[in-house]
Amino acid sequence: MSIYETLNPMQQEAVFHTEGPLLILAGAGSGKTRVLTHRIAYLIDEKGVNPWNILAITFTNKAAGEMRERVDNIVGFGSEQIWVSTFHSACVRILRRFADHLGYGRNFVIYDTDDQKSVVKEICKRLNIDTKIYKERALMSAISSAKNEMIDVKEYALNAAGDFAKQRIAEVYREYEKVLYKNNAMDFDDLLVKTVEVLRNNEDVLNYYQERFKYIMVDEYQDTNTVQFRLVSLLSGKYRNLCVVGDDDQSIYKFRGANIYNILNFEKEFPDAKVIKLEQNYRSTKNILNAANAVIHHNKGRKEKTLWTANEDGDKIVFRQYQNEYDEAHHIVSEIRRSADKGEAHYNDYAILYRTNAQSRVLEEKFVAQSVPYKIVGGINFYQRREIKDILAYLKTIDNGQDDLAVRRIINVPKRGIGLTTLNRITEYGEAREMSFFDALECCEDIPKLGKAAEKIKSFVNMIEVFRAQSEYITLAELFTNVLEETGYIKELEAEDSEVAQGRIENIDELMNKIIAYEEEEDEPTLSGFLENVALVSDIDSLDEEEDYVMLMTLHSAKGLEFPCVYMCGMEDGLFPSYMTIVNDDPEEIEEERRLCYVGITRAKKRLIMTYAKSRMVHGSTQYNKVSRFVREITPELFGMGAKPEKEKHESRIQRPSDFTRKQTTKVVTSYGKTFQVNKASVLDYTVGDTVRHIKFGTGTVINIADGGKDYEVTVDFEKSGVKKMFASFAKLKPVD
């Protein structure tokens, strides 16, 4: 039997159509990699094409490696001469030969993100650009977006006319390009842009590669951006044997610059293109596919296709409602554990998918509590994330300044202009006197050669001491909010204005939810108790990578993967799709979210469970959302008995998340970097012997009031908590009649 006889009729058609532009619309699980590898084999074995005349491009090194391996197995001799590579690696090969046509040396260096950041930082310093307003990462993102759209320095400057912020970015972009050229360096975006420039401006080079690559195949075409489209258009311009494979229904990377119109408008660019649809799915059951089709058919900006399968009907879709996110996580983990204990499945048969990284926190804690092994795919465990470790380091320093590691972590986060030389002098001073690092900071005036840095350190120490004073009298949630506000941590992330920064803010919001939950659960919540609680649930270093574990990941990370059983949790309007997507009322944004839901559904092979929490803590407040519209778009008959999402009789309001990071009823301190001020009352409305009430400690009797100069120091004997000393401005004691 020929290897081509194992293919279905549409797969065969895609393999045998070798001449001219070809668009293969390959639905989820339709065997697109198989088609690509067999097509390469057919070109060599049956059409007599030389292997070195074939170029196959994909997006990741992993995908390129897998394709290379499969091509080698199927083609055999001569397969090593086929170019199977990523966009970037193919461009590097071209530029190593022809970079001199652009005035670069062929031995150019490639700058990574850290190198780029250093360059931008230096430029900002030189141009007197305030990096608190124009964050390095935001500037890098703007430059990257411009390059991906083939917008050069001149065009960007023209477009920026009349917009001061964009004009500043244009200045940085211009200087950035000068520095890279001077250093004979290119960033990752340049690898694509400069290759396009070489091909556009040098007919002999373009002709060489057009002759070299007579047959070009591009995988995951729906994820290409503008510059990638230009590249493949140029290379295929002579022979026009361009075969692109993709699925517009799985285009979910708009935030990375992916342009879905590359695939939607393929026939406009290539009017003579052949279009072949691969609609037979080999992965999932009929019920799962019918659910996926029901959702995606609501999108208007797509190529019409319907996935089908010869597989069995399989289990109905399961839909479960829970009271809150803790209830949701508990039942998911318990159900998986029961199934594994009974021997019905392995842990690695399960994947739990969610919309945002922050959702993993509650799940992780339940996995740890029930000793069920898990792994975060494409991400970092919640308590290991940078922003979480930063904020926890602040709380540890407030609770106990003896943790040198915690103090060192946050002394310059956000940036306070305290340099390494200064920190080394403080360290030496402390070590010589057997002091902790924080104690040494408190003695900064006694340390020689600190200069202006001493004032910055004093400000930092003062801030921590005020937080410590506050911690005695206010709730943990209030303390947390104060730390975020007064350090400027959130403001710095907001200024960055990127997808990554937004994800970090969401994770901090989730930590706030953890604090509130802790305070509600404990009779006497303390900062020490909270940090101890976190330490116990975050001890996950012992996880064996070779162990059988449940996969946890965002929906974006799940693309390209498959699992016997998939949980899609947090299926609520306001979370998925997000609140901002809904209120923006942009059909394209909603359609992007719906494609993401489609990707999630089609990861499941045998079972799909969708879960919904009636209430969920978001940004520190309880939010009540209705069932996600994507769940309600699934035909009711596809759900199991008693598990159908209720059709809502009225449109319940999508709650606007309360923004705890920006709201504070009482300002106690000024912003970081300044000396904290206490507003001393001219007169107290209580005196010694009076009964007073405190928000945290309840009622008690005032036994002493001392005028401490800046504030009154009040001593109260509380009925339940005993004797406490506190500053009047922080304590906010109310007289009890």
Side-chain angles (χ1 to χ4, degrees), residues 150-161:
M150 299 287 297
I151 299 170
D152 63 15
V153 171
K154 286 182 181 177
E155 188 180 348
Y156 195 94
L158 283 171
N159 295 340

Side-chain angles (χ1 to χ4, degrees), residues 667-682:
K667 290 289 287 183
V668 187
V669 291
T670 62
S671 61
Y672 91 88
K674 301 176 185 175
T675 304
F676 287 87
Q677 302 294 326
V678 175
N679 297 320
K680 182 182 177 183
S682 56

Side-chain angles (χ1 to χ4, degrees), residues 389-425:
K389 294 184 82 166
D390 285 346
I391 302 302
L392 288 176
Y394 266 107
L395 296 179
K396 287 174 184 176
T397 302
I398 295 164
D399 185 55
N400 176 6
Q402 302 308 301
D403 186 344
D404 286 0
L405 204 63
V407 181
R408 284 176 177 278
R409 183 178 183 94
I410 49 103
I411 181 81
N412 229 6
V413 176
K415 292 173 185 173
R416 298 185 173 89
I418 303 170
L420 188 60
T421 305
T422 299
L423 296 178
N424 288 338
R425 283 175 181 152

